[in-house]
Amino acid sequence: MSAVLTINGLRMTFGGLVAVDGVDFTLANGDIAAIIGPNGAGKTTVFNCISGFYQPSAGHITLDGEDITGLPSHQVVRKGLTRTFQNIRLFREMTLLENLLIGRHQHVNRSFLAGILRTRAYRESEQAARAEAVKWLEFFGLLPFANHEAGALAYGQQRRAEMARCMMTGPKVLILDEPAAGLNPNETAELVTLVRELRDRHGVSVLLIEHDMSMVMRLSEHIMVMEYGRPIAYGTPEEVRNNPVVIKAYLGEE
């Protein structure tokens, strides 16, 4: 299976602090993979480098054969990689539909003159964006709340809304930063089903950070384990679960 995302020799320093060092990782096309590790292991720093929020100190990041190392986040999104965040970042006073339409803005005809004249091309791009928003609201079970303010939705609905907005960008790779944080067991089980359907029905490759090990083991096909900024293990869920180095990192030694 071909690689859709490749990380080679990733290193990130902040002054004299080495936050991430020596990270090599490959996400296969159509794969669901996870990065796990104790708090402070460097997982979110890796995500910030991949998604263009940090410029790596060293290393290369390739998306579908194209080098995206150091590109700003909005350009990374246009190349086909988008992400959620640990803290929900919806526009709380906008409706759910408006939040999704913002996620589609780079595909809408943004010509100033076209907007003033409301040309046919402009109207068609607006209609296409609304149709796409309705599709993803329906997929995530949120269509009845389309005209509700995003801030008024239940927490689990806001989590799904953020994923729906990501899908409006038409990504090849979806990065999920602790998507199950704050969810109850039923909501987590629904999330597992939705992520699998995104991969199976829509061809999206998924990379996630998650502390819910039950979810990681059920959902992921490959896992990278980090500690103190460096990878300490790679493998399938079964291999990682039984790796003595991983057990030591999480549970310590007697």
Side-chain angles (χ1 to χ4, degrees):
M1 192 177 292
S2 62
V4 68
L5 178 68
T6 305
I7 304 165
N8 288 316
L10 185 66
R11 178 181 172 90
M12 186 70 212
T13 60
F14 299 97
L17 173 67
V18 180
V20 165
D21 191 25
V23 172
D24 297 301
F25 186 78
T26 298
L27 178 68
N29 196 17
D31 203 359
I32 300 173
I35 301 176
I36 66 172
N39 287 330
K43 305 181 298 294
T44 296
T45 300
V46 171
F47 268 23
N48 286 338
C49 291
I50 296 169
S51 55
F53 287 86
Y54 292 163
Q55 182 159 351
S57 305
H60 293 281
I61 302 163
T62 305
L63 177 65
D64 206 17
E66 184 174 358
D67 191 344
I68 61 167
T69 312
L71 290 183
S73 58
H74 66 279
Q75 290 187 26
V76 172
V77 170
R78 287 185 190 144
K79 299 292 184 184
L81 184 148
T82 189
R83 67 172 292 182
T84 64
F85 294 86
Q86 291 178 23
N87 301 316
I88 294 171
R89 297 193 180 186
L90 296 173
F91 296 98
R92 297 178 58 82
E93 296 181 358
M94 287 183 167
T95 68
L96 190 49
L97 178 62
E98 289 168 339
N99 268 274
L100 264 67
L101 291 175
I102 287 172
R104 190 70 175 178
H105 71 93
Q106 80 259 31
H107 296 288
V108 175
N109 186 332
R110 290 175 290 170
S111 162
F112 177 75
L113 187 59
I116 292 292
L117 299 177
R118 295 196 61 79
T119 62
R120 179 179 176 182
Y122 183 86
R123 293 195 308 273
E124 287 177 348
S125 66
E126 277 195 324
Q127 290 168 0
R130 283 184 170 270
E132 189 74 2
V134 167
K135 179 182 87 172
W136 290 115
L137 287 171
E138 188 169 24
F139 177 88
F140 285 98
L142 296 169
L143 192 54
F145 309 100
N147 294 313
H148 292 217
E149 284 190 1
L153 299 176
Y155 182 82
Q157 292 170 332
Q158 291 186 34
R159 282 279 179 198
R160 296 203 306 275
E162 199 169 37
M163 291 174 63
R165 186 172 62 184
C166 284
M167 293 309 301
M168 289 290 288
T169 67
K172 303 169 187 174
V173 175
L174 175 63
I175 292 182
L176 303 174
D177 195 347
E178 298 194 28
L183 302 186
N184 63 43
N186 287 338
E187 290 171 330
T188 300
E190 291 172 1
L191 178 64
V192 168
T193 300
L194 286 170
V195 172
R196 284 192 181 128
E197 288 185 359
L198 282 175
R199 189 270 306 275
D200 295 342
R201 289 170 48 187
H202 299 282
V204 180
S205 305
V206 180
L207 180 62
L208 66 143
I209 292 172
E210 185 51 62
H211 286 291
D212 185 334
M213 287 300 101
S214 174
M215 176 188 173
V216 169
M217 295 301 171
R218 276 185 291 162
L219 185 58
S220 305
E221 289 139 355
H222 298 94
I223 299 172
M224 176 173 74
V225 188
M226 294 185 66
E227 187 182 32
Y228 303 123
R230 297 187 64 89
I232 59 171
Y234 300 89
T236 65
E238 187 66 23
E239 290 167 343
V240 166
R241 184 187 291 116
N242 297 313
N243 188 315
V245 176
V246 177
I247 295 169
K248 177 185 172 184
Y250 272 95
L251 302 179
E253 293 182 299
E254 292 186 9

